[in-house]
Amino acid sequence: MSNAKVLPLLDPEVQGVVPCCPPLTERPMNAEEAERAARMFKALGDPVRLRLFSAVASHEGGEACVCDISDVGVSQPTVSHHLKKLKEAGLLTSERRGTWVYYRVEPSVLAAMGQLLTPPAAA
Amino acid sequence: MSNAKVLPLLDPEVQGVVPCCPPLTERPMNAEEAERAARMFKALGDPVRLRLFSAVASHEGGEACVCDISDVGVSQPTVSHHLKKLKEAGLLTSERRGTWVYYRVEPSVLAAMGQLLTPPAAA
DNA sequence: CGTCTATGTTGACATACATCGAACCAGTAC
DNA sequence: GTACTGGTTCGATGTATGTCAACATAGACG
């Protein structure tokens, strides 16, 4: 209880987009696992999205207003489109506060993907 | 000398496809970094490729013959196509030995991507 | 040599995706 | 109320991508 951070795998609170975790190198993924994990990788598989995600993830407080991160070389509708994609992939969450919309990183996601890529016991 | 495994970040031996590494959460990525990293994420952003990669990564000895991993529900040309993509992304290397072709995971890649996804100092 | 098996390549096709401008919605300030 | 600013949604468009069937190549074996 207290907080669930002891198990940084994946919280079920995430709308149902996320779960994934068997380390990539442990055993071959089945179709279902791959489908799920690929959704997240694909979301980060675009340079613009990766920059947006990094901008949010590295922003102080773990959240950022769209106005703070929309300087990635594409039009504002495109930024919005990519943020939506990241949200749909379960990597970001958004919240409107007054005039501005703030995005924050779903913390469990980083741990989950990191674990997925865990190298085979350091060889 | 001996072996370069002490620094699992990224070896320059990799043809030039790979480098990347500033943890995603450390500071906003610039266009160049994002372009590079996105190439790898995109390569894993397809369920079939993810399964192929996982199959190779989890195979004994860190390498696998195509014949061992081509059971992912798509035609053989498609498997070959995806393996090529993974190779172009710098995630896999291939070697022909007699009749069969063996693929193996570029070890530095797992460490690099894992580091890229390092959560912000455990909060 | 010819044949058979294991992979890779080519060409075609349908779907998905990134991008933009324009229109639209949410709040704030006047 | 109207006007303005921040953000999202819509529609269109060009490009990338996943897939397969058909063909090509590489080595093994006779």
Side-chain angles (χ1 to χ4, degrees):
Chain A
M1 304 51 185
S2 52
N3 50 7
K5 288 188 184 130
V6 282
L7 241 200
L9 301 182
L10 237 326
D11 301 340
E13 341 175 350
V14 193
Q15 316 89 316
V17 195
V18 187
C20 88
C21 270
L24 211 355
T25 59
E26 207 78 354
R27 63 200 79 265
M29 306 183 76
N30 59 42
E32 195 183 348
E33 294 169 326
E35 198 82 41
R36 204 150 36 187
R39 226 175 296 152
M40 299 193 298
F41 282 118
K42 184 191 283 188
L44 294 183
D46 178 274
V48 173
R49 280 198 294 270
L50 201 46
R51 289 186 72 185
L52 290 172
F53 185 78
S54 173
V56 172
S58 63
H59 207 264
E60 103 178 282
E63 70 175 13
C65 164
V66 176
C67 57
D68 287 328
I69 60 176
S70 49
D71 197 14
V72 288
V74 294
S75 71
Q76 223 253 338
T78 301
V79 168
S80 189
H81 166 72
H82 283 304
L83 287 173
K84 185 181 182 182
K85 286 270 189 137
L86 287 168
K87 225 170 84 176
E88 289 171 350
L91 303 187
L92 293 180
T93 59
S94 71
E95 181 195 353
R96 166 157 235 141
R97 280 210 292 280
T99 307
W100 295 279
V101 177
Y102 292 84
Y103 281 81
R104 63 169 52 241
V105 173
E106 186 58 46
S108 49
V109 164
L110 278 177
M113 295 189 75
Q115 175 161 336
L116 202 56
L117 293 170
T118 301
Chain B
M1 302 54 177
S2 52
N3 49 8
K5 286 188 185 130
V6 282
L7 241 201
L9 302 181
L10 235 327
D11 301 340
E13 344 175 348
V14 192
Q15 319 87 318
V17 194
V18 186
C20 88
C21 270
L24 212 354
T25 59
E26 206 79 353
R27 63 201 81 262
M29 305 183 76
N30 60 40
E32 194 182 351
E33 293 169 327
E35 197 83 41
R36 205 150 33 186
R39 224 173 297 152
M40 300 193 297
F41 282 119
K42 183 191 283 186
L44 294 183
D46 178 274
V48 174
R49 278 197 295 269
L50 201 46
R51 289 185 72 185
L52 290 172
F53 186 78
S54 174
V56 173
S58 64
H59 208 264
E60 103 177 283
E63 70 174 12
C65 164
V66 176
C67 57
D68 287 329
I69 60 176
S70 49
D71 197 14
V72 288
V74 295
S75 70
Q76 219 259 333
T78 302
V79 169
S80 189
H81 167 72
H82 283 304
L83 287 174
K84 185 181 182 182
K85 286 268 190 138
L86 288 168
K87 227 171 83 177
E88 288 171 351
L91 304 187
L92 293 180
T93 59
S94 70
E95 181 195 352
R96 168 156 232 141
R97 280 211 292 281
T99 307
W100 296 279
V101 176
Y102 292 83
Y103 281 79
R104 62 168 54 241
V105 173
E106 187 58 46
S108 48
V109 164
L110 278 177
M113 295 188 75
Q115 173 162 336
L116 203 56
L117 292 169
T118 302

